[in-house]
Amino acid sequence: MSQARTEPLPETARRPGDAAPVVELRGLSIAFGGVPALHDVALRLYPGEVHALMGENGAGKSTLIKALTGVYAPDAGTVVVDGQERSFASPADSQAAGISTVYQEVNLCANLTVAENMLLGREPRFLGGIGVRAMRRRARQTLERLGLDVDPASVLGQHPIAVQQLVAIARAVDVDARVLILDEPTSSLDADEVARLFEVVRTLRDQGTAIVFVSHFLDQVFEIADRLTVLRNGRLVGERLVSETSQLELVRLMLGRELETLDRLDRQEAPPVDRDRTPVVKVLGLGRKGALEATDLEVHEGEVVGLAGLLGSGRTELARLLFGADAADTGEVEVHGRRARVRTPRQAIDRRLAFASEDRRAEGVIGDLTVADNMLLALQASRGWLRPIPPAQRTTLVARYLEALDVRPADPHALMRNLSGGNQQKVLLARWLLTEPELLLLDEPTRGIDVGAKAQIQQLVAELAGRGMAVVFISAELEEVLRLSDRVVVMRERRKIAEREGGDLTVGEVLETIAAEATHTHLTETTDGEAPR
Amino acid sequence: MSAATDTPVGSSVVPSTWDRVRSWSPGQRYLPVIATVVVFLSLFSAGGIRYEGFADPQVFLSLFLDNAFLIVLAVGMTFVILTGGIDLSVGSVVALSTVIAARTLEAGWAAPAAIAAVLLVGTVIGLLHGVLIQYLGIQPFIATLAGMFLARGLCFLLAERSIPIDDETFSTIAFATITLPGGYYTTWTAVVALATVVVAAYVLARRRFGRTVYAVGGSEASALLMGLRVARTKVAVYAVSGFCAALGGLLFSLYMLSGNSLHAVGMELDAIAAVVIGGTLLTGGRGLVVGSLVGVLVLGTIQTFISFDGTLSSWWTKITIGVLLLAFVMVQRLATRRQP
Ligand SMILES: Nc1ncnc2c1ncn2[C@@H]1O[C@H](COP(=O)(O)OP(=O)(O)OP(=O)(O)O)[C@@H](O)[C@H]1O
Ligand SMILES: [Mg+2]
C-alpha cells in the first residue's frame, strides 16, 4: 500500500496477533457521472471485531458498503475476501460469500410477512416448497433473540418503522455470516432495543464474526466498536483503535475542523413564551383506539414542546392525530382558540400546520425529482398547483435552505435519490420549514444526521421558535429533546403521563418519571395489557 | 403477550383446530377476493331470481367450460401484474396458437407434436418479452404491445383465412364430457383450467419463485438488496404468461375447432379486467390467483345474463364490465389509501 494518504495508518491500529483480515478493500474508487464518491479508500476487517465506519453525511459510507457487497461496481480497487480477490456482481453474490448486510434505508418488502422478509431466499423447505411453519418458528426464535415480540405471520407493512428496522437486522443476523454489515441500524431504535442489538452483536463478535457498524450516535460507537475507519469527502482519513481515540478527536477527524456549536445552544435570547395568550393549537381529549388514549396538549407561539417517551409510547401517534394523518376517534382541536376540523393532512395544512414525518421513505422522498422540486413540494401544494412559485423566489428559497441545512451536494438540480441518507433527510426537513407554518410537528428530524449538521438543525429550530413558530419536537434522543424544549410532555403506553417545564429537567428525571409510572400502572392495570404493536 | 399472567398454565399451548376455526378472521389480503366472491354470488342470485333456469348448477359449471381459456390467460396475467408489469400480447398469442395448431395439424403433425409446438412458441414469445423488459429496460407496456402486433401479424402470415381443425384427438377431447353426480357434466378444458389455477396458487404461495414474484411487486429495489433472483424472476413471469397464453390458445382451439387470425381480438383486456376485478393491485405485490378465477366467473356471469335475457344488447356486457372495473379500482384505492 504505497499510495499517499491524508494520514498513514498508525501501527497501533493493526490488531497484534491477528492472522489476516476476512475482508480487505484496497484502493477503492467509484464515481457517479464523473463525480467521485470514493477515492482510493481502504478498509480492513478482522474476524471478531466491531469496526465502526465513520464520516459526515455524504462522506461515502453507504457507497463503500454498496461497492463491497456488489450493489455498485467499483471503478478501481480490489476486494479481497479470505485472501482471495473477489468481485461481486450482485448482493446475492456477496451474501453467498458470507457477507450479510443491512442497508441504510430499511430494505424489505412491506407486502410480505415478517417471516418471509427475514428468511426469503434461504427459507426452510417442505416437500420441495417453502416450509411455512418451520419458517415462522425460525423467524420467531431470531426475533426473540432481538427481544422483539411480533407475529412472524403478520404483514410487515403494518408495523412501525422501528420494528421494520429490527426485522431487517434479524434477517441479517439469522445466517451465520462471517461478515455482518450494519448501516445505521439504530437510527430509529430506542435505548432498550439498542442494548439488545448490542448484546447480539457482542455474541456474534465473540463467535468470530467481523462486524461493520455505521452510526451517527457517537456514544453508541464508543460503546460497541473496537476499531474505526474515518472517511471524509470520499477519502480515507485514517484508521484508529477506539480505545485510543477521544470523542473530540473523532469529531475532528470526521469534520476536518473543530465543532464549536455542539452542546452550546443559546435559547436565552429568545423572548419568554407567553402562556396567557391563546395557544396556537390546543387539543382536548384527542385519541384513537389502539393508538392513543385521550390526550390534552397546548402549544403556544414561540414555544418548543418536546414529546419524550420510549418507542410505542404514543409520541408519533399524537403527532399524526394532530396533523390528521390518522383520523382521531375522540377529541377536539382548537387553532387560535377556534374549533377546527383537522381530519386530513389537507385540512391541517390549510390551518398552517406542518408535519415532518419519521418515515421518510414512504412519505417523503421522491427519488426521481430534483432536490429543488422535493424541497418546494409542500409549499407548492399549499399554494395550489395553479399558482406556481415565481422562478426567482424558487431559486432564492432553495439556495437559502441548502445553505442553512448544509445539504451536500448543494446542487438544486441533483436527483433526490442520488443524495446520501442524511442529506435526503435535510431536504425533507427543509420542505416543511419552507412553508413557514404556525405549528411545526417534527418527528425524529435529526435521525441519520451527522454531529455537525445535527447541531445546525437544532440551532435552526431554536431560531424559528424564537421568531414565533410553535414547534412540537419528537426524538428518541432525550438529550436532544431536553436541550431544545421549553416544555416536555412525557408519554408512556399510549398516553401522556406528565408535563414538565424544560430548562433544568434532566434525562434522569424523565427516565424516573417513566419508570415510576411503570410500577404504578402495573398495579392498577389489569385488563388493558395490550402489547405495543 | 403481557396479559398472559392470569391465564391458566397450559392454555398458551397450541390452540385446538376448533379454536383456530372460531377465531379465524380473514386477513387483510383476502378482503378483495372476498369482495369479488360477494359480487359474483349477488350477480348469480340476481340471475337466479330474474330468469328461470339460471340458478341451475349446470349454468354455474358452464361458466368454467365457456371461459376455460380466459381462466388460464388470467392466471398468467396475474403473475405478470403481481410483479407490477403488464402483458398486452396474450390475445394475439391465443390467435397465433390456434393458427399454429390448425396449420400443423393440417400438415399432418400428430396432436402431441402440435400441442408441444404451440406451447413452445408461446413460452418463447413470453421469454423474449421478459428479456426485452429486464435486460434492455423497455417498458412492459411497450414491449408487450410490440409483441401483440408481431404475434397478430405472424398469424396472417401463417393463415389468411380460417382453418378448421378436424384432427381426431382434438375433436375427441373437445366433445368428451365428464359426467358428475346428479347428471351434470363438465369438459376436459375446464379441468385443465382449474388445474392451472391450483398449480399457480401453489407456486405463488409456497415456492420461492412465487414469493419472489410478490417481493418484486412490493419493492424491486428491496428484493434485489435481499439477494433474491430478481432478474430471473421477472423474465420467468413473462415466460409463464406466454405459456399460459399458448395453453389458453389450445383450449380456445378446442372450443372453436378452428384456427383463425381474427380469434381473440381484445382478449388481453378481458384477462386484465378479470385480474383487477379479482382484487389484484395493478401496481403489483398484492393479489391472489383465486381472485382472478372469480374475476373470470364474474365476467362469465354477466355474459350469461345477457344470453338469458335475449332482449339486452350484448354491449351491456361491456358496459357492466366497465362499471364493475371502475367500482373495484375505486374500492381498492379506498382500501389501500390508509395503509403504510
Ligand atoms: N447513485 C448515486 N448517484 C450519484 N451520486 C451518488 C449516488 N450514490 C451516492 N452518491 C453520492 O455519493 C456521496 C456519498 O454518499 P453516501 O450515501 O455513501 O454517504 P454516507 O456517508 O452514507 O452519508 P449518510 O451518513 O448521509 O448516510 C454523496 O455525495 C452522494 O450524493
Ligand atoms: Mg449512508
Side-chain angles (χ1 to χ4, degrees), chain A residues 32 37 56-63 72 104 184 216 418 420-422:
Chain A
F32 296 106
E56 288 177 286
N57 293 133
K61 305 178 295 292
S62 302
T63 307
Y72 298 146
Q104 180 168 12
E184 294 193 34
H216 290 294
N418 293 342
S420 81

Side-chain angles (χ1 to χ4, degrees), chain B residues 134-135 212 215-216 219-236:
Chain B
Q134 179 58 31
Y135 294 104
T212 308
V216 169
S219 164
E220 193 176 328
S222 294
L224 206 65
L225 290 181
M226 283 163 82
L228 300 176
R229 303 283 174 191
V230 172
R232 198 186 292 180
T233 304
K234 274 177 71 188
V235 173

Side-chain angles (χ1 to χ4, degrees), chain A residues 100-211:
Chain A
S100 186
T101 314
V102 179
Y103 296 93
Q104 180 168 12
E105 309 296 330
V106 174
N107 271 300
L108 299 172
C109 295
N111 60 330
L112 300 182
T113 66
V114 169
E116 284 172 341
N117 270 296
M118 285 176 56
L119 293 168
L120 203 58
R122 50 164 189 271
E123 65 281 344
R125 321 287 295 171
F126 177 73
L127 297 181
I130 296 174
V132 174
R133 272 160 189 253
M135 181 161 85
R136 291 190 183 152
R137 211 176 313 122
R138 192 162 128 199
R140 191 183 291 283
Q141 280 165 4
T142 309
L143 289 171
E144 269 168 14
R145 267 175 76 195
L146 288 167
L148 196 59
D149 182 21
V150 298
D151 180 5
S154 58
V155 175
L156 183 81
Q158 79 191 46
H159 296 292
I161 189 95
V163 172
Q164 299 192 17
Q165 194 165 34
L166 282 167
V167 171
I169 295 169
R171 177 179 177 88
V173 301
D174 173 78
V175 281
D176 290 324
R178 280 171 321 139
V179 179
L180 173 65
I181 302 178
L182 304 169
D183 194 352
E184 294 193 34
T186 57
S187 58
S188 47
L189 302 187
D190 273 337
D192 276 0
E193 287 142 336
V194 172
R196 239 161 347 218
L197 171 64
F198 282 3
E199 242 169 72
V200 175
V201 165
R202 286 197 189 97
T203 315
L204 290 172
R205 177 192 61 192
D206 296 343
Q207 288 166 0
T209 311
I211 294 146

